[in-house]
Amino acid sequence: MTRPKQDGGKFKSFMQENVLTMATVIGVFVGGLIGFIIKNSTGEWSKREIMYISFPGEIFLRMLKCLIVPLLVSSITSAIGGLDLSMSSKIATRAITYYFVTTISAVILGICLVTTLRPGQGAKIVETQTESIDKASKVLTPDTLMDLVRNMFTDNIIQSTMFQHRTEIYENTSISPAQPMENWEFKSAQREGSNVLGLVMFSVILGTTIGRMREKGQLLQDFFTTLSEAMMTITSWVIWISPLGVAFLIAAKIIEMDSIAATIQSLGWYFITVMIGLFLHGFGTIAVIFFLGTRRLPYRYIAKLSQVLATAFGTGSSSATMPLTIKCLDNMGIDPRVTRFVIPVGATINMDGTALYEAVAALFIAQYREMSYSFGTIVAVSITATAASIGAAGIPQAGLVTMVMVLDTVGLEPKDVSLIIAVDWLLDRFRTTINVMCDALGTILVNHLSKNDLASVDRLNAEPHELLELGPNGHEMKE
């Protein structure tokens, strides 16, 4: 006769644990619904009116982005500093191998889909040109790749928290007549935005150094560990406004669209091709890789990541979602040393959804322009899309610039980016969601593969937050 009370207690406990997750998911749907209703029932909205709608979401996004730099630096430094060099290298090798395999798989899947479905044949697209596309077209692929390396090895760590290095080219017609872009003048410039790649590289080196210093470096280790925990505490406060922020971000974006029906009509097959690719990669390819590594299906973990995935969709930024991802994985019992290293690195270099999208987009535009391409071109697209996705987080105007790189490989004009820009904002949210899910599942996989190695680390030198291990039932226990 006590079963109803027990069931009621379980239901109450379930609701208390998942109320924020459900609220965030509801926020996504409510924001979309409000956006569609306003879009279809009122006249055209001005940019200022749309700005008013997105304001609560903008504040939420700014709060998340404010946490990125201190959390990224403190997390990576404390995680690596708490391990010996051999253990850090094992975890890094497993994580990077996982990211490389999933990115290559995403590109291959995207190319297979776009060459099979051929969405570019017969498409009717209204071509537009924007100022941002025009700026993105004035870049050279060698400059972009070299800027990626320059940003990795920053010359000013303080400056890297606010700016990224960029090589700008300009045509000096007063000295010489019109010339190819390769012969234009160039200069070094700093563009506003955190140099995440440089911060990651610096944090890895600093953490390794602290680990090698042992007792002498303990004071610095304690500082970064405490800073990381403080950032996670602030994250737990910010999380509670995520349902509201996500709802307003989605609503504003839908209102901003020119014509939903016309966009779907002109780019429907392209949109469907990318969506099929993202779905198959997220719930097929990654699931298979995860199962081979852990002998477990990933879907129950994906269910626990619902709030993180909803936030990733709402913000469209894997870096902004990073604090929530770390918090969620901590709650799932993943070793903090693994989480605080793998997630920041993944949010920076692992862009499966972006790699798939750029491969599909380049060949879609080639099909639309009725341009033939060989197997060698497809291989070149694969390599370029992979490199572009890795560098996307550290390159100014990431989406447009990396897309220009891939189009250049096929021999297409940079202005052709305008053909797909109408649905880019929406696809960006879906591919960001897949990126974040891949990072989280990769962390769980690396944690599983590293469990025995982590257990062998000298526990006498471990920090209190590291004295964790998973019990037989998956619960965390402190020694």
Side-chain angles (χ1 to χ4, degrees):
M1 298 298 291
T2 60
R3 179 63 61 85
K5 290 185 178 180
Q6 292 178 349
D7 292 342
K10 290 181 179 180
F11 177 76
K12 183 178 179 180
S13 176
F14 174 81
M15 292 299 294
Q16 289 176 344
E17 292 177 0
N18 296 278
V19 62
L20 189 58
T21 299
M22 290 186 289
T24 306
V25 174
I26 291 172
V28 172
F29 288 104
V30 169
L33 182 62
I34 292 174
F36 277 112
I37 291 174
I38 294 176
K39 182 74 176 177
N40 295 323
S41 60
T42 61
E44 185 176 350
W45 284 51
S46 67
K47 290 184 177 180
R48 174 162 290 275
E49 290 171 329
I50 295 174
M51 183 265 287
Y52 291 150
I53 292 291
S54 65
F55 181 72
E58 179 189 350
I59 297 302
F60 168 65
L61 195 55
R62 290 170 70 92
M63 294 171 70
L64 283 179
K65 288 183 176 180
C66 179
L67 299 172
I68 292 174
V69 171
L71 179 61
L72 183 145
V73 174
S74 62
S75 295
I76 295 179
T77 304
S78 62
I80 295 181
L83 298 169
D84 57 42
L85 186 59
S86 62
M87 187 68 255
S88 299
S89 62
K90 288 180 181 178
I91 293 177
T93 301
R94 288 163 182 158
I96 293 174
T97 301
Y98 168 81
Y99 291 148
F100 180 78
V101 170
T102 56
T103 302
I104 291 293
S105 301
V107 172
I108 293 174
L109 176 61
I111 289 176
C112 290
L113 285 173
V114 74
T115 53
T116 302
L117 300 178
R118 304 192 69 81
Q121 288 187 343
K124 298 179 180 179
I125 307 172
V126 178
E127 299 187 30
T128 58
Q129 186 78 358
T130 67
E131 183 181 354
S132 59
I133 294 174
D134 185 59
K135 288 181 179 179
S137 65
K138 292 183 173 60
V139 296
L140 294 174
T141 299
D143 288 341
T144 304
L145 294 176
M146 286 189 291
D147 284 346
L148 171 63
V149 179
R150 291 188 182 104
N151 281 318
M152 289 178 64
F153 299 95
T154 178
D155 60 347
N156 189 326
I157 190 62
I158 304 300
Q159 188 180 60
S160 293
T161 63
M162 297 176 285
F163 298 98
Q164 304 169 352
H165 179 277
R166 182 183 184 183
T167 300
E168 294 182 350
I169 60 174
Y170 58 95
E171 188 175 16
N172 193 345
T173 55
S174 61
I175 298 178
S176 58
Q179 294 183 346
M181 287 178 59
E182 289 79 4
N183 296 332
W184 286 14
E185 300 286 337
F186 63 89
K187 63 179 181 180
S188 297
Q190 297 293 328
R191 181 181 181 273
E192 188 174 343
S194 299
N195 176 12
V196 180
L197 282 175
L199 294 173
V200 167
M201 181 65 70
F202 176 82
S203 301
V204 169
I205 296 173
L206 180 60
T208 302
T209 304
I210 292 174
R212 292 177 65 91
M213 292 175 67
R214 299 186 181 277
E215 291 81 6
K216 290 183 179 180
Q218 192 60 45
L219 186 61
L220 270 177
Q221 176 68 14
D222 292 341
F223 168 77
F224 284 110
T225 299
T226 304
L227 179 60
S228 176
E229 292 174 353
M231 292 301 103
M232 293 312 302
T233 301
I234 298 175
T235 299
S236 66
W237 298 341
V238 175
I239 285 175
W240 287 99
I241 64 172
S242 59
L244 185 68
V246 165
F248 280 98
L249 285 171
I250 295 295
K253 274 297 182 181
I254 292 178
I255 296 172
E256 193 177 359
M257 289 182 68
D258 292 331
S259 173
I260 299 174
T263 300
I264 294 175
Q265 183 178 0
S266 62
L267 291 169
W269 274 109
Y270 165 71
F271 183 87
I272 290 172
T273 302
V274 176
M275 287 300 298
I276 291 174
L278 293 176
F279 181 84
L280 290 178
H281 181 68
F283 296 93
T285 306
I286 296 178
V288 171
I289 295 173
F290 186 88
F291 178 79
L292 292 176
T294 65
R295 294 297 184 268
R296 299 174 185 171
L297 291 175
Y299 304 112
R300 68 184 183 94
Y301 297 107
I302 295 174
K304 292 180 180 180
L305 292 166
S306 299
Q307 183 200 352
V308 173
L309 300 181
T311 304
F313 182 85
T315 61
S317 171
S318 55
S319 295
T321 313
M322 183 178 67
L324 279 71
T325 309
I326 294 175
K327 184 71 175 178
C328 182
L329 290 173
D330 283 350
N331 294 337
M332 291 167 61
I334 305 302
D335 193 302
R337 292 167 293 181
V338 176
T339 303
R340 282 159 174 73
F341 174 68
V342 179
I343 288 296
V345 172
T348 305
I349 68 172
N350 182 47
M351 304 289 172
D352 290 4
T354 303
L356 184 148
Y357 151 82
E358 292 187 343
V360 171
L363 296 183
F364 165 79
I365 294 173
Q367 292 170 2
Y368 174 75
R369 295 296 190 195
E370 297 182 350
M371 178 180 179
S372 59
Y373 48 85
S374 63
F375 177 76
T377 302
I378 293 177
V379 173
V381 168
S382 304
I383 297 172
T384 309
T386 302
S389 68
I390 293 173
I395 297 176
Q397 293 182 337
L400 293 176
V401 174
T402 54
M403 193 67 245
V404 168
M405 285 176 56
V406 182
L407 291 180
D408 183 60
T409 303
V410 188
L412 293 165
E413 294 292 329
K415 65 180 182 181
D416 285 338
V417 173
S418 63
L419 298 174
I420 58 173
I421 207 70
V423 294
D424 182 71
W425 74 270
L426 185 55
L427 288 176
D428 179 50
R429 278 161 163 71
F430 283 108
R431 62 182 186 255
T432 298
T433 304
I434 294 299
N435 291 342
V436 170
M437 187 177 80
C438 181
D439 292 345
L441 292 179
T443 305
I444 298 171
L445 174 61
V446 172
N447 181 78
H448 177 82
L449 297 176
S450 306
K451 190 175 296 185
N452 293 333
D453 294 324
L454 288 167
S456 65
V457 174
D458 186 4
R459 301 175 64 84
L460 294 176
N461 294 326
E463 296 299 315
H465 80 286
E466 294 170 352
L467 295 177
L468 301 169
E469 61 183 6
L470 291 176
N473 296 323
H475 299 292
E476 292 184 352
M477 301 187 304
K478 290 188 178 181
E479 186 174 271

